[in-house]
Amino acid sequence: MTPLEYQKQLRLQGARRLMLSEGADAGSAGFAVGYKSPSQFSREYSRLFGAPPRQDVMRLQSSGNILTQL
């Protein structure tokens, strides 16, 4: 993993944490971790986690295993 890929992964995990723990929407979470484009954030989030931000968060919340995903 390159340093840039590592940084991207950390930013996306931080956004996921914000959405799960603080109820932030995808746009706000993406902006908070440094993304300027909501579409780029959503595209990269989907690539890493396998689903768009809203679907991923809903899936995690319904599974009840939120803490293991943070």
Side-chain angles (χ1 to χ4, degrees):
M1 178 181 301
T2 68
L4 185 59
E5 290 170 332
Y6 180 72
Q7 180 185 27
K8 185 186 302 185
Q9 187 175 13
L10 287 178
R11 289 169 54 188
L12 291 168
Q13 288 173 349
R16 189 186 214 189
R17 193 173 299 114
L18 286 172
M19 290 185 288
L20 288 168
S21 65
E22 297 181 20
D25 61 71
S28 299
F31 183 73
V33 297
Y35 283 89
K36 292 187 178 15
S37 167
S39 61
Q40 181 184 4
F41 168 72
S42 182
R43 185 172 47 253
E44 292 182 2
Y45 188 100
S46 296
R47 209 173 283 143
L48 180 62
F49 296 116
R54 183 179 296 160
Q55 282 183 339
D56 182 52
V57 169
M58 288 174 38
R59 178 182 56 84
L60 291 172
Q61 289 172 336
S62 68
S63 74
N65 292 325
I66 293 173
L67 293 178
T68 61
Q69 301 301 318
L70 297 176

